[in-house]
Amino acid sequence: QLQASGGGLVQAGGSLRLSCAASGHAFRSYTMAWFSQAPGKEREFVAAIRQTGGSTYYADSVKGRFTISRDNSKNTVYLQMNNLKPEDTALYYCAGQAGRDPTRLPYGYWGRGTQVTVSS
């Protein structure tokens, strides 16, 4: 089970840190990721991180602004979001257990989303 938190309302240029806590012992064996979904749009890949944190992947739109990290001792994955833009406004979901490509669906496990709203 995945539980995301940390969303909120922030002005453009501001920062937020999302957290996703996982239950169970399998967390450290999973690639973890964040996806976003804006109203009326499909769910989009944001960032992913391999099991040990040695490899990370980012959507072009967030490179240089967002950082994904994980703490396997806490069963938690994070998304540090800096220099936020109004177009980052979306529901953000954490996901675990990637398929062949960590930047694409499918993922095996999903948490409920946390809302990020960026005002201009």
Side-chain angles (χ1 to χ4, degrees):
Q1 191 171 13
L2 303 176
Q3 181 65 49
S5 62
L9 173 64
V10 64
Q11 287 187 331
S15 298
L16 284 173
R17 188 194 196 202
L18 306 185
S19 299
C20 176
S23 59
H25 299 292
F27 174 82
R28 60 190 64 201
S29 69
Y30 293 154
T31 291
M32 299 296 296
W34 291 94
F35 285 76
S36 67
Q37 188 165 19
K41 294 188 176 181
E42 293 186 351
R43 196 165 296 189
E44 296 181 342
F45 170 76
V46 175
I49 186 167
R50 291 294 194 186
Q51 290 87 331
T52 61
S55 295
T56 56
Y57 310 84
Y58 295 95
D60 287 344
S61 60
V62 306
K63 282 181 181 176
R65 299 189 299 122
F66 292 8
T67 303
I68 189 170
S69 61
R70 66 190 295 161
D71 186 339
N72 286 343
S73 69
K74 296 182 179 179
N75 279 14
T76 302
V77 61
Y78 304 97
L79 185 69
Q80 179 66 43
M81 311 167 72
N82 296 330
N83 190 21
L84 282 159
K85 303 176 181 181
E87 51 263 42
D88 295 320
T89 295
L91 199 58
Y92 282 74
Y93 297 88
C94 63
Q97 193 182 49
R100 182 175 301 177
D101 184 344
T103 70
R104 301 173 68 89
L105 298 173
Y107 267 74
Y109 299 97
W110 291 89
R112 291 187 176 182
T114 183
Q115 178 68 39
V116 172
T117 303
V118 184
S119 64
S120 58

